[in-house]
Amino acid sequence: MIGVTILGTGNVAKHLFNACLASTEISIIQVYGRNAESLSYFQEKAQTTGNILTLAPADIYIIAISDSAIAKISKELVHKKGVVAHTSGSTPMKALSKNNRRGVFYPLQTFTENRTLNFKEIPLCIEAEHESDRVLLTSFAKILSDNVYEINTKQRKGLHLAAVFANNFTNHMYHKAKEICDTNDVDFELLHTLINETAAKIKDMTPYEAQTGPGRRNDTKTVKKQLKKLKNKNHKKIYSLLSRSITKTYGKKL
Amino acid sequence: MIGVTILGTGNVAKHLFNACLASTEISIIQVYGRNAESLSYFQEKAQTTGNILTLAPADIYIIAISDSAIAKISKELVHKKGVVAHTSGSTPMKALSKNNRRGVFYPLQTFTENRTLNFKEIPLCIEAEHESDRVLLTSFAKILSDNVYEINTKQRKGLHLAAVFANNFTNHMYHKAKEICDTNDVDFELLHTLINETAAKIKDMTPYEAQTGPGRRNDTKTVKKQLKKLKNKNHKKIYSLLSRSITKTYGKKL
């Protein structure tokens, strides 16, 4: 049985909490949060505390709070015997106090309130300073997910940056598509099947191979027509930069 | 029974051909293609011809060729009694010869060779000049798909432009993500689950609501750090423009 304390009450904390609860091999020792209201989600099913001085012993302390607060909270944990791991993609392991048994437990997923996720599918990226802590964090992660990876700080930063393109920017493309649908009086839902297929395709081929469209074909006529159709300046800028970038990728110049 | 002739031998033609073959309510009269090699895919299961003068009577002629060749080929069909419909998102119905019974049959999907698609899920966007042809094209479409819509030329152009953002640009974001993974020695496959969830989320909420990440949070510190980490000029440009665009969407300035 692995005893885990979660520090934080946001979306990552909630999803991790539920995944831990579902396992008979993990015991949640405590959930720590600064205000009572945010702890209400957890208190029926686990012990909670708003006072960091009252943290009980645990094997692992998971810090699931905003990046900017990680260093500070880790200093409050320097007398703990357990491993202290943060969950941030872009924060170095060494941002944690050097008096901690330092580690990282980075779940590569976008966590949204009230959405059910299959935690077993989420890639969990583990890093640890000491070999025994790496073993412990990995065992913990393997209880929760079928996809556990050892990833160092440099790789994790790269992964987080790649995720910004694959998730944040992709979602922004969906948003732009919806704006264009709204302007043209068509329902954004019509694009759902296409969006699904676009995401599915890159499991069977590389995105390089999967690319289609006027930019890929160097179809300057359609590109010019579509640029003209776009009235919003910001849409025009994005369309123009990305079309050029696609055409450049395939070795042609617009 | 609806008799259909397909003009063209590319991916759209192939997928449509297979969907028609699978129905007992549709009879494929002929497939037309300019060269014998491209017709070989079809000739075991249907009549094919490389000579447009030998087209037999059909209820519907579907033109599934490149946009720039649509107008020309439609002129070859002016003596046909059937409906002549093209499959292009960005071409007006009126690009077809006015001596045709003009229509559009636009399947909103990205068609890739050797990929199996569930045609029943593909939105089919129908337009026709005459009411009786609209009824015929709609009946035909409803045999093939559960998602049939009447969409005029203006709406269809908007939809096609939205699809460029939701499909072409999104796929390019995946490509950039893969390049960043490669540079940082991590496997792009780790992003598959995230990419899936990003696409799935916008069925339950708007992309506006679904947005996460440093741009959305106006987290200038992470944005600056990530911009610095990107060495490729083109990546920097895209990161910068899209982060600004996201931050602007949520009413804050970077």
Side-chain angles (χ1 to χ4, degrees):
Chain A
M1 182 73 86
I2 300 176
V4 177
T5 284
I6 298 171
L7 298 99
T9 56
N11 288 326
V12 175
K14 281 176 187 161
H15 280 94
L16 180 60
F17 177 76
N18 290 318
C20 289
L21 273 186
S23 163
T24 53
E25 299 168 73
I26 296 169
S27 153
I28 296 174
I29 308 292
Q30 277 166 312
V31 177
Y32 162 79
R34 274 184 305 181
N35 70 72
E37 202 188 334
S38 65
L39 284 170
S40 63
Y41 180 90
F42 305 91
Q43 63 200 9
E44 266 184 37
K45 291 174 183 161
Q47 255 200 43
T48 59
T49 174
N51 181 355
I52 203 155
L53 299 176
T54 65
L55 287 186
D59 297 312
I60 302 172
Y61 298 85
I62 300 280
I63 300 180
I65 59 174
S66 63
D67 293 4
S68 57
I70 290 172
K72 195 176 163 223
I73 209 168
S74 80
K75 285 186 191 140
E76 311 262 14
L77 303 171
V78 293
H79 299 300
K80 299 296 171 198
K81 285 188 180 156
V83 182
V84 174
H86 74 63
T87 53
S88 164
S90 63
T91 306
M93 181 171 69
K94 297 202 168 166
L96 297 166
S97 164
K98 65 174 195 274
N99 295 318
N100 294 137
R101 279 167 57 195
R102 297 188 281 200
V104 178
F105 177 92
Y106 171 49
L108 181 53
Q109 185 51 287
T110 169
F111 294 95
T112 313
E113 199 157 2
N114 302 325
R115 266 187 78 78
T116 311
L117 288 172
N118 182 356
F119 217 92
K120 282 272 167 203
E121 288 177 358
I122 300 176
L124 298 178
C125 305
I126 299 301
E127 187 179 1
E129 206 165 14
H130 306 295
E131 172 61 13
S132 59
D133 297 342
R134 190 192 59 71
V135 172
L136 175 63
L137 278 175
T138 302
S139 307
F140 171 57
K142 284 191 171 168
I143 297 169
L144 297 170
S145 169
D146 296 328
N147 299 299
V148 178
Y149 302 87
E150 281 177 51
I151 298 278
N152 63 35
T153 288
K154 181 181 171 288
Q155 289 173 314
R156 193 176 62 254
K157 279 189 185 179
L159 207 48
H160 184 251
L161 186 49
V164 168
F165 281 78
N167 165 243
N168 302 158
F169 293 169
T170 286
N171 184 76
H172 194 54
M173 293 302 110
Y174 299 159
H175 174 63
K176 291 289 156 203
K178 183 172 186 306
E179 285 186 337
I180 295 165
C181 284
D182 292 348
T183 308
N184 288 281
D185 199 25
V186 283
D187 196 335
F188 175 65
E189 281 191 18
L190 265 76
L191 293 173
H192 282 179
T193 311
L194 177 68
I195 284 171
N196 259 359
E197 169 66 5
T198 308
K201 240 164 116 169
I202 50 101
K203 278 172 213 156
D204 298 329
M205 58 184 87
T206 65
Y208 182 87
E209 293 163 332
Q211 189 68 54
T212 57
R216 163 82 196 250
R217 293 192 305 272
N218 199 18
D219 176 355
T220 46
K221 209 175 148 191
T222 300
V223 167
K224 275 184 194 160
K225 254 194 334 192
Q226 295 200 319
L227 263 176
K228 208 177 148 191
K229 188 169 167 64
L230 286 167
K231 300 299 172 211
N232 177 313
K233 265 191 191 173
N234 177 255
H235 291 187
K236 267 186 198 294
K237 261 193 203 168
I238 292 173
Y239 185 98
S240 179
L241 178 66
L242 296 184
S243 295
R244 270 200 319 261
S245 178
I246 291 171
T247 304
K248 223 172 145 183
T249 303
Y250 296 91
K252 296 160 198 164
K253 275 185 187 165
L254 277 183
Chain B
M1 182 74 85
I2 300 176
V4 177
T5 284
I6 298 170
L7 297 100
T9 56
N11 289 327
V12 175
K14 282 176 186 160
H15 280 95
L16 180 61
F17 178 75
N18 289 318
C20 289
L21 273 186
S23 164
T24 54
E25 299 168 74
I26 297 169
S27 154
I28 297 174
I29 308 293
Q30 276 166 313
V31 177
Y32 162 80
R34 272 183 306 182
N35 70 73
E37 202 188 332
S38 65
L39 284 170
S40 63
Y41 180 91
F42 306 90
Q43 63 199 7
E44 268 185 36
K45 293 177 183 158
Q47 255 200 44
T48 60
T49 176
N51 181 354
I52 203 154
L53 299 173
T54 66
L55 288 186
D59 297 311
I60 302 172
Y61 298 86
I62 299 280
I63 302 180
I65 60 175
S66 63
D67 293 4
S68 57
I70 291 170
K72 196 177 163 221
I73 210 167
S74 80
K75 286 187 190 138
E76 311 261 15
L77 302 171
V78 292
H79 299 300
K80 300 297 172 197
K81 284 188 182 158
V83 182
V84 174
H86 73 64
T87 54
S88 164
S90 64
T91 306
M93 181 171 69
K94 298 201 165 164
L96 296 165
S97 165
K98 64 175 195 275
N99 295 318
N100 294 137
R101 277 168 57 195
R102 295 188 282 199
V104 179
F105 177 92
Y106 171 50
L108 180 54
Q109 186 50 288
T110 170
F111 294 96
T112 313
E113 200 157 2
N114 302 325
R115 266 186 78 78
T116 311
L117 288 172
N118 182 358
F119 218 92
K120 282 274 169 202
E121 287 177 357
I122 300 175
L124 298 177
C125 305
I126 300 300
E127 187 178 1
E129 207 165 14
H130 306 295
E131 172 61 14
S132 59
D133 298 342
R134 189 192 58 73
V135 171
L136 176 62
L137 279 175
T138 302
S139 307
F140 171 57
K142 283 191 172 170
I143 296 170
L144 298 170
S145 168
D146 297 329
N147 299 300
V148 178
Y149 302 87
E150 280 178 51
I151 298 278
N152 64 34
T153 288
K154 183 183 171 287
Q155 288 174 314
R156 193 176 63 256
K157 279 189 184 177
L159 208 48
H160 184 250
L161 186 49
V164 168
F165 280 79
N167 166 243
N168 301 159
F169 292 168
T170 286
N171 185 76
H172 194 54
M173 293 303 109
Y174 300 159
H175 174 63
K176 291 291 154 201
K178 183 172 186 308
E179 285 186 337
I180 295 165
C181 284
D182 292 348
T183 308
N184 288 282
D185 198 25
V186 282
D187 196 334
F188 176 64
E189 281 190 18
L190 264 76
L191 292 173
H192 282 179
T193 311
L194 177 67
I195 284 171
N196 260 358
E197 168 68 3
T198 308
K201 240 163 115 169
I202 51 102
K203 279 171 211 154
D204 299 328
M205 59 185 87
T206 65
Y208 182 87
E209 294 163 331
Q211 190 68 53
T212 56
R216 163 83 196 250
R217 293 193 305 271
N218 198 19
D219 175 356
T220 45
K221 209 176 148 190
T222 300
V223 167
K224 276 184 192 161
K225 255 194 337 193
Q226 294 200 320
L227 263 175
K228 207 177 150 190
K229 188 169 167 66
L230 286 167
K231 299 298 174 214
N232 179 312
K233 264 191 192 172
N234 178 255
H235 291 188
K236 267 186 199 294
K237 260 192 204 167
I238 293 173
Y239 185 98
S240 178
L241 179 65
L242 296 184
S243 294
R244 269 200 319 260
S245 177
I246 291 171
T247 304
K248 223 172 142 185
T249 303
Y250 296 90
K252 298 162 198 161
K253 275 186 187 164
L254 276 183

